[in-house]
């Protein structure tokens, strides 16, 4: 995918959290720029502040120091152009599948008819037709994450933020869902083409992303920024693939 | 950042608010007209105690129910307001939770002076004012507990859910309806059952508002029971108790059980055994019956919708736009303006100064804090000195001994409650049907007012066994305490995972072994929570347990409850009331901080079932 103009950048961002035991610095002076159309994976050991970066881009958190610049402007409040997908799905148990998918549409001013149409489209896109009226507790893990994905895609965001989206799924389900994600992402009609994904699985990052950011452990700092130049679909048994794996391993260790 | 400072009240909010204001004016006009017409009949000069007959019972029950309903609905609004504020803001948590803790330990008669001077004073003794005062008093036995429910439910909301809702741009009233309100439902239903029981229990005190010579007796089931007991009409007392129990039972079947089952869907899957599990199910015959009456049910629902339509319309068209959307929007605009026009320049200036001299960064806030602290402290001291200036009423000299005696009484009652609860729960833990029945018994038992039980107690215990008022007062306190550990433990054991029981049985544990290794440890958090609730309830119940009027005679034992009751009912002395409450609340908070809180913390963490 062609590298487009700059979409957002983190400008010397430091993030501290106040805990009862004292202040903890989670990110220390992190800067990077993301271009439109990029698929970026962020890898690193747990506690490196990977999820914090996603929450900064989505505007849920404000940096303690530095700035998040989105489309040339500093981000002041919740970023309505970004949509999040959560590791534990973040579905509301009291809403049906359709209502969960609809969650972000009302705040964006869509009327009822438009909302219905959107919901139907994206439920179909993730293959959940017939489950519109089901409640999350009635679904398997893979299906729940499809709902989470549909909810994020339905707002047709400029950027999709995914926080370990496949970690709570079993191996087979996560392979299927990864393939589908690649299909959706490479679909040219589809408005979303910038993705930032956090993962702790190095192979998953290399398989999906154009670019991998490697974070070092607490406080998180950028230890590496790699361009993955492999044709898709990528094969884990490929020699070039395992060279990337080794390289990232050495950066983390 | 430049995004701030350009927020204005959205146009659709303004337009709707204008419409609503018009409706509101019409509404108020109509109300004023009605009140004006009926004014004469509203003003009841006589609200004295009247002799009761069996014929008064239905209307008394209905009036009390309406009062309870009004109080419950206002408690819900209060609970959401304060509970959310406490859970979502840092200052709220520090301020509101201790405040609620304190208010919770003030017994209902402690609110009498406030109720009389505010509600009855404001309406100059109209019946409406007295009714409002009574509703307010019931409110003081229902609201705090519900506010804690909202606080806890919101506080334990998974971060993912919060982030999801926020990141998709859901804000304001949408956020409330989509996230907070549903998340609070299970916990709120559980605590509502307790709140209703508590409301019924203290109904007697709430329907007879008396400070010194000022007395208002409102017709209701509470005053009915009290009057019947005072005049020694045992038959009427029994009829009253039967009527009250059937009201409570029908509410349980028609309302709380269906609601608890409906609430299952609002439960977070990850959280297990949060203590809000009642394990309530419908008996099979109810299912069968509900299949039979489903058409009737849906017709009824339609009828309710029609009946509630005006209320919903008022809510949607008048109250929400005018009293929620508009103020919120206005507040946000004002805060925004203050932030961008006043605070920001100040901060920038301040930062300039600070950057020049580093030490001012800590010195200036510290100085301001000290000045403010001294100011507030002086003001509060002056107020207190004014209120509590000696000469103190002689009553106060009895205060330390009274508190000590009451504490002893409560310890005995607590030992009795736990001693009764534990064998009962162990006996029925693997008998679900029995457990259900016992839960219902606990619920009804918690609701029956102590005062009404007094004549029965006199008949059964005091006359036959001797021991007099001392035994009776402990038994009465027990009626306000016993149910909480029972209720909580019954809920607690229903969360024991079935596979764990099977695993233990598979290992060959006997029944006694199961009790020791599984049931007792598993119910420990519920037992502690129940004991804490019972302890608090016991202090509140003291006022109606240590001081009882029966056959135009006053029975009392020495204790803080009777001291407080005397200062309210006999002396009507605000200073004495304040001192009694201050002493009692201080003592309760002290025991909470140094005894219950440490126990609670160490138990809850250790004996929790992981999801």
């Amino acid at each position: 995918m062609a590298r487009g103009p700059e979409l957002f950048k983190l400008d010397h961002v430091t993030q501290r959290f106040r805990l009862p035991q004292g202040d903890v610095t989670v990110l220390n002076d992190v800067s990077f720029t993301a271009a439109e159309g990029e698929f970026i994976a962020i890898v690193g050991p747990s506690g490196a502040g990977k999820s914090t970066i996603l929450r900064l881009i989505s505007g849920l958190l404000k940096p303690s120091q530095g700035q998040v610049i989105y489309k040339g402007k500093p981000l002041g409040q919740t970023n309505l152009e970004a949509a999040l997908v959560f590791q534990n799905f973040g579905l509301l148990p009291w809403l049906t599948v359709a209502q969960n998918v609809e969650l972000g549409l009302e705040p964006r001013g869509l009327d009822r008819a438009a909302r219905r149409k959107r919901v139907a489209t994206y439920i179909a896109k993730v293959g959940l037709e017939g489950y519109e009226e089901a409640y999350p507790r009635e679904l398997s893990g893979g299906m729940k994450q499809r709902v989470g994905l549909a909810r994020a895609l339905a707002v047709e965001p400029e950027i999709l933020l995914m926080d370990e989206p496949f970690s709570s799924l079993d191996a087979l389900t996560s392979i299927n869902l990864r393939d589908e994600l690649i299909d959706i992402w490479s679909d040219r009609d589809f408005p979303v083409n910038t993705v930032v994904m956090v993962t702790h699985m190095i192979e998953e990052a290399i398989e999906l992303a154009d670019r991998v950011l490697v974070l070092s452990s607490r406080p998180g700092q950028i230890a590496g920024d790699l361009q993955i130049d492999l044709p898709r679909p990528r094969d884990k048994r490929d020699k070039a693939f395992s060279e990337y794996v080794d390289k990232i391993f050495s950066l983390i260790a | 950042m430049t995004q701030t400072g350009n927020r204005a009240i959205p146009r659709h909010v303004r337009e709707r608010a204008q419409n609503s204001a018009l409706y509101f004016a019409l509404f108020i006009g109509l109300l004023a007209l009605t009140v004006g017409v009926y004014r004469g009949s509203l003003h009841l000069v006589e609200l004295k105690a009247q002799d009761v007959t069996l014929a008064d019972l239905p209307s008394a029950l209905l009036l009390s129910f309406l009062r309870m309903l009004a109080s419950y609905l206002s408690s819900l609004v209060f609970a959401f307001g304060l509970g959310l504020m406490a859970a979502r803001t840092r200052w709220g948590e520090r301020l509101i939770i201790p405040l609620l803790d304190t208010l919770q330990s003030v017994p209902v008669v402690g609110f009498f002076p406030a109720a009389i001077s505010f509600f009855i004073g404001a309406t100059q003794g109209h019946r409406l004012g007295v009714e409002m005062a009574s509703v307010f008093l019931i409110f003081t036995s229902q609201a705090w507990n519900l506010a804690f429910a909202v606080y806890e439910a919101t506080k334990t909301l998974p971060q993912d859910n919060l982030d999801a809702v926020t990141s998709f741009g859901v804000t304001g009233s949408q956020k409330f309806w989509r996230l907070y309100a549903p998340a609070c439902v299970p916990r709120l239903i559980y605590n509502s059952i307790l709140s209703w029981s508590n409301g019924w229990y203290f109904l007697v005190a709430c329907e007879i508002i008396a400070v010194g010579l000022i007395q208002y007796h409102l017709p209701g089931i509470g005053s009915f029971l009290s009057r019947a007991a005072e005049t020694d009409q045992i038959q009427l007392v029994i009829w009253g108790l039967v009527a009250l129990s059937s009201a409570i039972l029908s509410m349980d079947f028609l309302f709380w059980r269906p609601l608890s089952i409906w609430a299952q869907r609002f439960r977070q899957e990850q959280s297990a055994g949060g203590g809000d599990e009642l394990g309530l199910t419908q008996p099979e015959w109810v299912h069968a019956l509900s299949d039979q009456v489903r058409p009737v049910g849906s017709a009824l629902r339609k009828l309710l919708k029609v009946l509630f339509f005006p209320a919903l319309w008022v809510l949607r068209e008048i109250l929400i736009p005018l009293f929620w959307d508009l103020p919120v929007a206005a507040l946000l605009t004002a805060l925004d303006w203050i932030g961008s026009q006043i605070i920001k320049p100040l901060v920038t200036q301040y930062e300039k100064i600070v950057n020049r001299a580093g030490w001012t960064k800590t010195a200036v806030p510290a100085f301001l804090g000290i000045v403010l602290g001294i100011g507030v402290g002086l003001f509060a001291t002056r107020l207190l000195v004014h209120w509590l200036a000696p000469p103190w009423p002689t009553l106060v000299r009895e205060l330390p001994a009274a508190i000590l005696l009451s504490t002893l009484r409560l310890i005995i009652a607590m030992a009795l409650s736990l001693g009764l609860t534990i064998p009962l729960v162990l006996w029925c833990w693997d008998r679900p049907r029995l457990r259900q029945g016992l839960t219902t018994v606990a619920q009804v038992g918690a609701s029956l007012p102590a005062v009404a039980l007094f004549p029965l107690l006199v008949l059964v215990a005091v006359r036959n066994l001797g021991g007099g008022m001392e035994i009776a007062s402990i038994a009465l306190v027990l009626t306000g305490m016993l149910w909480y550990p029972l209720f909580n433990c019954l809920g607690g054991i229903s969360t024991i995972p079935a596979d764990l029981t099977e695993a233990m049985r598979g290992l060959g544990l006997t029944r006694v072994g199961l009790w020791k290794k599984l049931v007792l440890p598993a119910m420990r958090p519920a037992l502690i929570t129940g004991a804490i609730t019972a302890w608090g309830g016991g202090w509140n119940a003291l006022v109606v347990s240590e001081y009882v009027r029966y056959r135009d005679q006053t029975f009392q034992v020495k204790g803080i409850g009777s001291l407080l009751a005397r200062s309210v009912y006999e002396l009507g002395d605000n200073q004495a009331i304040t001192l009694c409450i201050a002493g009692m609340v201080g003592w309760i908070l002290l025991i909470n901080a140094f005894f219950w809180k440490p126990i609670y913390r160490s138990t809850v963490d250790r004996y929790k079932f992981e999801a």
Side-chain angles (χ1 to χ4, degrees), chain A residues 77-146:
Chain A
Q77 57 236 358
T78 311
N79 185 353
L80 289 183
E81 303 300 341
L84 266 163
V85 175
F86 296 85
Q87 180 180 2
N88 293 317
F89 323 125
L91 302 179
L92 300 180
W94 42 82
L95 300 184
T96 62
V97 167
Q99 287 168 334
N100 264 298
V101 174
E102 201 186 333
L103 191 68
L105 300 180
E106 214 174 332
R108 285 167 179 75
L110 271 71
D111 64 37
R112 187 189 281 240
R115 292 204 300 263
R116 280 224 179 117
K117 211 174 141 214
R118 265 296 171 93
V119 169
T121 311
Y122 284 96
I123 284 182
K125 195 152 210 128
V126 299
L128 279 178
E129 297 113 317
Y131 290 97
E132 288 85 353
E133 297 310 311
Y135 285 94
R137 71 180 66 243
E138 298 155 9
L139 305 179
S140 68
M143 287 158 93
K144 280 183 204 162
Q145 196 53 299
R146 281 165 202 270

Side-chain angles (χ1 to χ4, degrees), chain B residues 317-329:
Chain B
E317 295 297 329
I318 299 183
L319 295 179
I320 291 181
L322 212 54
F323 295 103
W324 178 258
D325 287 343
L326 188 69
V328 167

Side-chain angles (χ1 to χ4, degrees), chain B residues 476-547:
Chain B
L476 285 175
V477 162
L478 199 62
T479 66
M481 290 175 80
L482 170 65
W483 316 107
Y484 295 107
L486 190 59
F487 201 59
N488 269 293
C489 287
L490 287 168
I493 52 169
S494 71
T495 63
I496 298 178
D499 53 352
L500 207 53
T501 317
E502 275 167 19
M504 296 290 212
R505 285 222 168 98
L507 288 171
L509 263 73
T510 57
R511 202 173 154 74
V512 176
L514 275 171
W515 287 349
K516 267 195 215 150
K517 298 283 178 207
L518 181 66
V519 186
L520 281 175
M523 73 184 221
R524 232 167 111 159
L527 192 68
I528 300 288
T529 313
I532 294 174
T533 321
W535 185 255
W539 282 104
N540 283 345
L542 277 177
V543 179
V544 289
S545 309
E546 292 181 344
Y547 182 98

Side-chain angles (χ1 to χ4, degrees), chain A residues 55 74 94 108 135 137, chain B residues 3 163 168 178 265 267:
Chain A
R55 278 162 177 73
W94 42 82
R108 285 167 179 75
Y135 285 94
R137 71 180 66 243
Chain B
Q3 275 113 326
D163 280 351
F168 284 102
R178 289 249 185 257
R265 84 159 66 146
R267 211 170 278 285

